[in-house]
Amino acid sequence: MRKSLLLGLGLLVAGPLHAEIIEIPKQSGFSGFLLGGINASSYESNFYKGHDSHERIDSLGSAERSDGLTPLINADLRYTFADTRTQLFLGNLIQDAVRFDFTQQLGVRQQVGDKGIIAGSYVFSALPGEQWQDPFATGVDRETTDRSSRGMRLSWDKIWGSHFNGKATLRKIDIDNEHSGERYGHEVAHQLDRNGREYTFELGYLWQLAPGQLLEPSLIYRQADLDGRAERYDSTGLQLSYGLKQSQWSLVSNLYLGKRDYDAIQPIFGRRADANEFAIGGSFFWHRLFGVAPLSAVVSVSYARADSDIAFYDSNASSLSTGLLYTF
């Protein structure tokens, strides 16, 4: 979760106008959204390269703060074949974004009568995340490397006609130049290898509290089966997503609480990097901007934190974003 929290912040603004499941349209054609804006973020991480340099660190303590402005761009493009109740999609599906899931996908959704909507997709990272080749190197200028992921996802919305929704995702994680802990010897470096696979399972239940008002609690389990034994972990968490839609405005909010447990002792620090995880965020939408029906103004705020038993693994991030959302 250390990685996903930091990647997700600043993209939370790409949430939907409300948290309900996207139904497959009754007419054939294109649909989706386009988002453009700006994001101001501040975060602390010893693993990701921030807006500020911080190439050199003198000790293995808490991370330094990094602030910056970045463009905010996101999109979801879908095409529906109404006769067969089939939909092709590319991008970040709206109902995933509201749940802190910013995975890019290329896939197909299929309505199965009154049994729900089943989907299969290829998942990938649109832009590689820039990390340090050796986060634990001190007294020297650290070099960066790219982190990318790709895999497959299966999902089922409205399982067997109920209000339950589930998904399972398998990703392969690649660090282009992985040199974590090399200065401590080959055995330490082998235990800190961040390449490998990640499995994620999620089950949620969507309640309609009142017209235009939705609440979805979700259980999320994540297993990082990485090459380095000290980097392998299991993460379990509870997430609450709430959506309120009015004629002129909408509000979407999220809360996540989780626990990350590592398989083995971190060899440099002599203990496990187990952590408690917390994230909260909200997006406000003002519809029909300038009298244009599909255009909305968006303001989003978010905060995430991971408190580890090893201070070097602590991370926190906050974000304020604003932009324009065009739906079609």
Side-chain angles (χ1 to χ4, degrees):
M1 194 67 178
R2 177 184 71 237
K3 304 175 179 67
S4 57
L5 286 178
L6 291 173
L7 289 175
L9 285 171
L11 297 176
L12 182 62
V13 69
L17 303 183
H18 41 78
E20 64 189 1
I21 300 300
I22 299 176
E23 301 290 351
I24 294 180
K26 296 181 179 180
Q27 295 183 340
S28 298
F30 285 100
S31 58
F33 75 84
L34 298 172
L35 170 72
I38 190 168
N39 173 60
S41 63
S42 174
Y43 69 90
E44 298 172 10
S45 171
N46 277 312
F47 295 87
Y48 279 86
K49 183 180 184 301
H51 305 291
D52 304 323
S53 296
H54 301 322
E55 282 93 353
R56 182 184 294 255
I57 57 174
D58 296 322
S59 64
L60 298 179
S62 299
E64 297 184 62
R65 176 174 165 177
S66 178
D67 303 311
L69 293 174
T70 55
L72 182 63
I73 300 173
N74 206 354
D76 168 21
L77 179 63
R78 287 171 260 134
Y79 187 85
T80 299
F81 299 92
D83 292 342
T84 59
R85 311 301 296 139
T86 305
Q87 187 178 75
L88 305 178
F89 60 93
L90 173 65
N92 181 212
L93 286 178
I94 291 179
Q95 79 268 29
D96 289 332
V98 74
R99 300 177 183 92
F100 285 125
D101 185 346
F102 309 99
T103 301
Q104 301 298 314
Q105 303 179 67
L106 172 63
V108 58
R109 305 174 75 220
Q110 179 65 52
Q111 178 81 46
V112 186
D114 60 355
K115 302 301 188 292
I117 300 174
I118 296 176
S121 61
Y122 171 73
V123 298
F124 60 97
S125 49
L127 294 173
E130 199 171 31
Q131 296 188 334
W132 300 114
Q133 292 184 18
D134 182 3
F136 307 99
T138 58
V140 297
D141 288 342
R142 296 177 295 177
E143 298 183 4
T144 60
T145 186
D146 288 334
R147 177 190 185 273
S148 59
S149 65
R150 61 187 183 277
M152 300 296 297
R153 169 174 291 174
L154 295 175
S155 64
W156 190 355
D157 293 330
K158 298 184 177 179
I159 297 174
W160 217 257
S162 71
H163 294 284
F164 283 100
N165 309 296
K167 67 176 118 177
T169 307
L170 163 64
R171 293 183 178 89
K172 186 177 186 297
I173 299 172
D174 290 312
I175 308 295
D176 284 354
N177 294 290
E178 171 60 288
H179 299 295
S180 292
E182 282 191 350
R183 60 169 47 202
Y184 296 92
H186 174 75
E187 179 58 30
V188 170
H190 180 68
Q191 294 184 58
L192 297 177
D193 194 327
R194 294 168 289 176
N195 291 288
R197 287 179 172 80
E198 182 183 81
Y199 307 89
T200 305
F201 303 93
E202 180 176 343
L203 181 65
Y205 187 89
L206 189 61
W207 267 304
Q208 182 165 345
L209 303 177
Q213 191 173 179
L214 298 168
L215 176 68
E216 182 174 25
S218 299
L219 293 173
I220 302 173
Y221 171 76
R222 180 180 292 106
Q223 182 184 73
D225 185 16
L226 305 181
D227 294 343
R229 185 183 176 193
E231 287 293 311
R232 297 173 192 165
Y233 65 84
D234 296 302
S235 174
T236 55
L238 173 65
Q239 183 165 285
L240 291 176
S241 298
Y242 172 79
L244 175 62
K245 184 178 182 181
Q246 302 293 317
S247 59
Q248 181 62 64
W249 57 271
S250 296
L251 175 69
V252 176
S253 60
N254 295 275
L255 173 67
Y256 176 84
L257 297 171
K259 182 74 169 65
R260 186 173 70 240
D261 296 306
Y262 282 82
D263 288 1
I265 291 174
Q266 214 279 2
I268 298 176
F269 296 93
R271 57 184 180 276
R272 289 180 174 84
D274 298 346
N276 295 315
E277 302 165 337
F278 169 81
I280 189 170
S283 297
F284 178 82
F285 302 82
W286 186 261
H287 307 312
R288 298 188 300 278
L289 188 65
F290 308 126
V292 180
L295 186 65
S296 299
V298 189
V299 177
S300 175
V301 293
S302 52
Y303 175 78
R305 183 176 182 85
D307 289 317
S308 172
D309 292 344
I310 299 175
F312 188 82
Y313 280 74
D314 287 347
S315 62
N316 67 80
S318 57
S319 173
L320 172 63
S321 304
T322 184
L324 297 177
L325 179 71
Y326 183 85
T327 58
F328 57 93

